[in-house]
Amino acid sequence: MWNTFSQTVDLGWDFYGPVILFVVLVALAVPVWAAIGSAAIVMLMWSGALPLSLVGESLFDGIDAFALTAVPLFILTGDVLVRTGLSRKFLNVAEALTQFAKGGFGSATVLVCGMFSAISGSDAAGAAAVGRMTIDRLVESGYPRPYACALVAAGACTGILIPPSIAYIIIGLVLGISASTLFMAALIPGMLILVSILITNIVVNRIYGYEGGGNVGFGEYFANLGRALASGWYAFIVPGIIFYGIFSGRLTPTEAGATAVIVTVILGFILGTLKLADFPAMLISSAKVNGVILPIIAFSLPLAQALAIMGVPQGFVTAVTGLTDDPTTLILLMILILIAAGCVMETTPNIVILAPILKPLADNIGMNEIQFCIMMITALGVGFITPPLGLNLFVVSGITGESILRIAWRAVPFVFFMLIVVLLIAYVPAISTTMLPDVYK
């Protein structure tokens, strides 16, 4: 395949040199945006695909998009939720909802990961925020610490899978697809992933008996749930505004993000859990995360342009289809590539590098472009907990000090059940298109 690829594209050191440079820089722990930027500039210099005098303009064009304004807004919303204590209200309600079940607090942890992720749109933020709130309590409830860490890492994968998600904003920008459309398409797949994690935890809990519970009476259940809702109903105003605004079409993702920030801040002031003195730390924290994402997008645009001019996406399609034209096999190949990429690199660089290369292959086998986007993001999400290099495993290891290998071993059942959902998304288009108008099907 590689010989066919090289012959089709007629590649030389103007391609291999920048690729080697990128790999070396990433291996040396150079920030990804700097590695991509260095590789892009070297590729442009050696190939002449784009005059260097236009690189500055290309970088600006890469981030001069209204849709991208939603990214820092959702990140900031997540920070404000943590600082105001509203994220703990989500946990209280989730715990009340699952108190009837054996393994209830484990299920509550997964649910609160989904709730938090649906607002912040970030898996790493969800893993860190929810992990700090729940891992010690999971251990107290009877879970081994490595499994508790794996549970949080798996639940946090929903950060890029349940809309609104930063990942869908970025892939929509890269491929020219409306983020609102992708949000609607991702709703059912995202919920399926969440349900698969819940089922995994229930099955594992039944086998090993980690957590007791499940003996709450009917009256006591509703009394506890009522108290949790009464003390924290206002926390759900924020996700309610986001979901209603986006899915009703009344708000764009950017407008929904801005509204969520304002409402969350107002709630913080009303509750007395947020002060003006908290703003510098919140803004700096959000700016650091945003400062990682936007440079990657900016430098990836000239890189994508250079690859397109050199014919790399077309060459990849020709090489792969030269081996087999079976759609089932080609879809499996794409999934393997995406999971492997998700293990070693964050979502944003994976999207901006791989989406333009794999999209022509998906088009070649007749895959719906919306379905392709959902499959790609979901497969990348599975990569976040795929042993031994899943990025979420490193996040929870960092906040707990638990061994990555021990967490990775306990994450295997979650990977298995999530892979089943990925395969369903890949081979059943209706899962991704049911919520969409007929024009997208």
Side-chain angles (χ1 to χ4, degrees), residues 312-333:
V312 172
Q314 295 80 4
F316 177 77
V317 172
T318 302
V320 172
T321 54
L323 290 176
T324 177
D325 58 359
D326 177 36
T328 301
T329 305
L330 293 176
I331 289 173
L332 283 175
L333 176 63

Side-chain angles (χ1 to χ4, degrees), residues 187-201:
L187 191 57
I188 292 176
M191 295 308 296
L192 285 177
I193 286 289
L194 184 66
V195 169
S196 75
I197 299 170
L198 285 170
I199 291 174
T200 305
N201 178 60

Side-chain angles (χ1 to χ4, degrees), residues 17-47:
V19 170
I20 293 172
L21 175 63
F22 172 75
V23 173
V24 170
L25 290 177
V26 171
L28 293 174
V30 172
V32 173
W33 68 266
I36 290 177
S38 301
I41 291 174
V42 171
M43 185 176 291
L44 293 172
M45 288 176 59
W46 289 3
S47 68

